[in-house]
Amino acid sequence: METIPTTRMSSKGQIIIPKPLRTLYHWAPGTELEVIDVGDGLLLRPRVTFPVTRLDDVVGCLPYTGPALTDDDIAAALAKGVKEQWLDRD
């Protein structure tokens, strides 16, 4: 039977994650972990952050190549789309 790794909380509320688990999950020193209450315990999972991007990095993925639209143009297009999708149903 396999033993379950255990740890003990310090007086400051700190715990040590056993080495085999840190190795298994590739958690290096400095890894930020989210602590999630799951009712009968806690779930630890690495915090996933989005890489820093600039508009120039992503603007090429936008398909529109026409003239710049005004806020009024965008509002009208959205209203038309809502009307077509929700109000003109047969």
Side-chain angles (χ1 to χ4, degrees):
M1 179 179 250
E2 187 175 330
T3 61
I4 298 173
T6 60
T7 190
R8 186 176 311 239
M9 187 181 310
S10 75
S11 61
K12 294 182 179 183
Q14 299 171 334
I15 61 168
I16 296 172
I17 299 171
K19 174 92 171 143
L21 294 175
R22 294 191 318 260
T23 301
L24 176 66
Y25 289 102
H26 309 287
W27 292 348
T31 299
E32 290 189 36
L33 301 172
E34 295 176 346
V35 181
I36 302 159
D37 183 355
V38 293
D40 63 345
L42 299 174
L43 169 68
L44 296 177
R45 71 175 176 204
R47 182 171 178 253
V48 178
T49 57
F50 294 101
V52 177
T53 57
R54 299 172 304 137
L55 181 58
D56 291 341
D57 296 334
V58 296
V59 77
C61 68
L62 302 173
Y64 185 74
T65 58
L69 299 175
T70 66
D71 289 343
D72 291 336
D73 294 334
I74 295 169
L78 288 171
K80 179 182 174 192
V82 167
K83 183 174 185 256
E84 289 173 356
Q85 183 173 359
W86 297 103
L87 302 178
D88 288 344
R89 292 185 172 192
D90 292 329

